[in-house]
Every structure is written in C-alpha cells, then in structure tokens.
Amino acid sequence: MSQAVLTHDEAELLLAVASQRWCDARVLAIKGPTARAQGLRAPRASVDVDVLVHPADWPEYCSRLEAAGWTWVEPGDKPDQRHEHSRTYRNPAWPLELDVHHHFPGFLAEPEVVFETFWSRRVSLTLAHHKVLCPDPVAHTALIALNLLRRPSHPRNVVELDHLVEHVTRAFQTESLVDLAHVARVTGSQATLEPVLRRWGLSTAAVAGTSEAEGLDEWRLGTAAADHRAVWWLAELLDLEWRRRPRLLGRALWPTRSSMQRKYPGRGPAGLVWARLLRLAQGARALPRAARIVRQHQARG
Amino acid sequence: MKGPVRRHPDVAWVSSDPGRIVVLRVDRIEDLAQVLQGSAAEIWRCLDSCHTRRSVISALASTYGVEVPVVRDDAAAFLDRLVELGLVVEG
C-alpha cells in the first residue's frame, strides 16, 4: 500500500465525493461526473471538480480548505473582480483543481434563492461506491446549459450544448420540461437560458426586477466578451471614474508578475516577457472589435 | 482471527484497472488517498463478500490457489494496517 499518485479519473471521482464531506456545510456536486451520470454531459474528462456551497456556508468552507493545505488560486488578469462567484483551490496531492461556487453565473435571482431551489431538489447518486448529492436532472440541466452559454461560440460548447439539447428532448417528459421552465423562472434564468429554452419549445418571459435586469445586462456583455478579453477591460475602463482609469489601464497593459506566472506556468523571465509582448499584440488587434461590442452594449443599455 | 471486519462507511474507492484500487476516507480532509495493488487490491475486493478476518484470508488463498498458511501472516498484517488507517473497522 502506498500514498497515491492519482490518475485524473480517479481523482475526479474521489474529489467529487470527498469535497462534500469535508465541512459541515450544504454542498452539492455540480457538473463533471454527476452531470455525466445523469446523461447531461458527454463523457469527457473535466479539468476541475465543481461544488456549489450555500452562500452562508461558503466562507467557512473556504477557510476549512485553506486550513487543510488547499491554496486559493487567485484569479489572474481579470479587470472586474467585484462579482466573485467562486474560488479555485489547488492542492499538491490532487491532480485537479476544486472550484468552490457560492453562486453560478446566469442565475440572476439572489444566490440564496438559487441555492435553496437547487438544495430542495437535490438527489443522491453513487460515485466511487459512495453517496454524493447533486441537483436533480432538471435543475442540473439549467446549470449545465448556463455554463455552456457563457461561451456560446466556443466549438466544444456548441457540441456539448447540442448533446444536452438532444438528451433533454429525448429523455424529458413534458412535465420535466414544464418543471425546467419553473426552475428557470424561480432562479431568474429565463432570459439567460432563452437560447436553449426556445429549442425545447418553452416560452421565456420578461426579467423580474431591476437587479435582474442589471444582471442580464452584465451576462450579455460577459457572453459577448467571453472570447474577447479586451471587451471586459474596455467596458470596465469606461465604467470607472477618470482618476481611477490609469491604474486599471496599467493592469490591463502590464499584469503583475504573479498573474503572468499563473497564466504561463513554467516559463522563465524571457518567456514571460515574450508572453507579455504577445498579449499586448493580441490586445491591440482585438481592440476595434471590442470597442464595437462595447458600443453596441452601451447603445442597448 | 475470527473477528468481523468491514470497510469503513466513510471510505470511497475507485478501481481504474483490475489490479489497482485507490481508497480514501472522504470525511477526513487531511487524509491522502491510498493505492492498493495486487494482493492488497484483492483483499479489498474480498471485503465485498467476506466479513471476518478468517474468511478474507481463506478467500485470498483460494484466489491465488495456495494454502491458507501461505498468505495468513501477510494478509493479517495488511488488515491490521487497513484498520490502523481507518479504512476498515473491526467488531
């Protein structure tokens, strides 16, 4: 018997189970192996394990991880970190990261409302010969769809969304589809899920309140910007007071050394300089398109 | 030797190939996964249907086509180790 060098597949299953037991918190396994077990995702290795933790339990959960040697991987060169919905943790004993969500982008209702909706619909699956809690297939469908719609034009997401749509069309009875529309309404995701709800013949309605309308605005900008990071920087820059813009501009043009090292692990000083120059060139090329997207977004707003 | 043994209810395990099983106490955040290979993996599998030390050792001997005394000491020591790590409970 020896302490394990885990394969990716072994680690994914064990971490999905264990991460739910490490803290006295309400935790649901999301995406990854549970979604595959429910047929919502085609077999494919995940790059990380995701859990959804009750927002009230989230700080304690993160502290527990940190006390046990998990390191928070601080987000890299993202301009706007006001809307932190998850934290990524890494541990040398595990070959994949753990993403700890207290909220999930695209659900525009309050995080507590979203979690309670998911928690009230939790089901138990068996992974690695152990019980694990996850959302029921209907709620999980909404979450998986939103995850794919964050980068709707990414080739892999297009394929996976088609798989999800086909699976739901084949496997869900009418009652489940009606239930899905209900989940979308309660969690404030009717508008964000609109592209897939339409494919299932479900109607979508207007967004509920001002905060949801603002959330929808951000979601739309975010999905437009997902493949064009320059959009985020530009939108954030225009959103700031003049006196605060130089600092952000500095971060945009010349990210911190630690941020670059996280993004390009293993590169030496010369490699990092080269990566910075490449990044600047890509940013300059992306700028006209980013400006167009931001202008369109502002015109809609 | 006759005492009942069973896997701890808080253990999860995966077997990515027949000769390898990875086990973990999922309730203990500091615990590391353990790899069981060869006869160690076989003993873990025996715990599916064997619920005493004696039956585990007999099943293992039968699997390898040898007499019980040949595997007894090593198997007993391994079961002790599993108990020590909290992966198996006795009694």
Side-chain angles (χ1 to χ4, degrees):
Chain A
M1 179 159 47
S2 59
Q3 284 173 356
V5 176
L6 294 171
T7 67
H8 188 283
D9 291 352
E10 291 164 347
E12 188 188 29
L13 292 173
L14 291 173
L15 190 54
V17 175
S19 55
Q20 201 160 81
R21 299 288 312 279
W22 285 341
C23 185
D24 187 19
R26 286 158 285 180
V27 183
L28 293 170
I30 55 170
K31 301 162 59 182
T34 53
R36 287 201 298 273
Q38 291 173 330
L40 304 175
R41 205 168 142 173
R44 162 172 84 77
S46 308
V47 294
D48 53 23
V49 164
D50 293 80
V51 289
L52 181 64
V53 181
H54 191 288
D57 299 334
W58 188 76
E60 191 197 335
Y61 188 94
C62 292
S63 301
R64 179 93 179 93
L65 285 178
E66 286 163 24
W70 287 78
T71 310
W72 173 29
V73 184
E74 292 187 47
D77 57 338
K78 286 182 188 166
D80 178 8
Q81 291 166 18
R82 287 171 301 179
H83 306 295
E84 183 188 47
H85 56 81
S86 68
R87 280 189 179 179
T88 299
Y89 283 92
R90 203 175 276 166
N91 184 315
W94 292 89
L96 71 182
E97 294 173 339
L98 179 62
D99 259 8
V100 185
H101 297 254
H102 61 77
H103 192 45
F104 205 84
F107 291 114
L108 306 182
E110 289 300 317
E112 290 79 6
V113 173
V114 174
F115 187 89
E116 293 295 354
T117 304
F118 274 66
W119 187 251
S120 69
R121 309 173 62 97
R122 68 190 179 280
V123 294
S124 173
L125 295 180
T126 299
L127 292 181
H129 302 85
H130 208 280
K131 298 276 182 228
V132 63
L133 297 176
C134 67
D136 76 329
V138 170
H140 217 166
T141 293
L143 187 146
I144 300 292
L146 282 177
N147 187 49
L148 297 170
L149 289 169
R150 286 168 75 183
R151 294 186 72 181
S153 56
H154 189 285
R156 193 180 68 202
N157 288 11
V158 171
V159 172
E160 293 201 1
L161 201 59
D162 284 345
H163 169 88
L164 180 69
V165 169
E166 280 165 27
H167 172 79
V168 166
T169 304
R170 196 173 55 245
F172 279 24
Q173 305 290 320
T174 309
E175 303 84 65
S176 297
L177 287 173
V178 171
D179 199 19
L180 178 58
H182 168 74
V183 168
R185 193 165 54 249
V186 174
T187 58
S189 54
Q190 279 176 303
T192 50
L193 282 172
E194 197 257 346
V196 283
L197 295 181
R198 231 179 326 122
R199 290 174 73 176
W200 291 314
L202 298 169
S203 65
T204 55
V207 177
T210 315
S211 67
E212 284 193 14
E214 283 172 10
L216 180 59
D217 218 26
E218 282 183 20
W219 166 264
R220 284 181 175 147
L221 181 64
T223 54
D227 296 318
H228 310 282
R229 185 155 291 219
V231 172
W232 269 126
W233 285 108
L234 195 58
E236 188 65 10
L237 202 62
L238 295 174
D239 210 29
L240 279 183
E241 299 165 46
W242 275 98
R243 63 185 177 84
R244 295 176 61 196
R245 288 183 185 180
R247 187 181 160 83
L248 187 73
L249 189 61
R251 275 181 54 209
L253 297 177
W254 206 255
T256 61
R257 185 183 169 82
S258 60
S259 162
M260 290 298 289
Q261 283 170 332
R262 265 197 307 276
K263 192 164 181 188
Y264 303 98
R267 292 205 189 177
L272 286 182
V273 168
W274 180 247
R276 283 182 187 279
L277 294 175
L278 196 65
R279 185 176 173 280
L280 282 174
Q282 286 168 342
R285 260 203 316 276
L287 206 53
R289 182 178 160 82
R292 208 163 46 245
I293 292 172
V294 171
R295 260 202 312 276
Q296 285 165 355
H297 177 73
Q298 285 176 332
R300 271 203 306 268
Chain B
M1 180 58 76
K2 286 182 184 172
V5 286
R6 62 190 161 86
R7 296 179 186 122
H8 193 284
D10 290 321
V11 172
W13 78 96
V14 290
S15 178
S16 48
D17 73 62
R20 174 184 165 101
I21 293 178
V22 183
V23 297
L24 177 71
R25 266 290 290 264
V26 292
D27 57 327
R28 302 198 298 212
I29 192 167
E30 287 87 2
D31 271 21
L32 297 173
Q34 303 286 331
V35 178
L36 314 180
Q37 301 196 82
S39 57
E42 202 51 55
I43 288 176
W44 189 261
R45 284 210 174 83
C46 288
L47 289 164
D48 276 342
S49 53
C50 304
H51 306 296
T52 65
R53 279 180 173 256
R54 175 179 281 179
S55 59
V56 169
I57 292 167
S58 296
L60 184 69
S62 163
T63 300
Y64 286 102
V66 296
E67 298 297 317
V68 167
V70 175
V71 297
R72 185 189 292 134
D73 290 351
D74 285 347
F78 179 68
L79 283 168
D80 287 344
R81 181 74 181 131
L82 290 177
V83 171
E84 193 182 308
L85 288 170
L87 299 170
V88 161
V89 283
E90 266 188 310

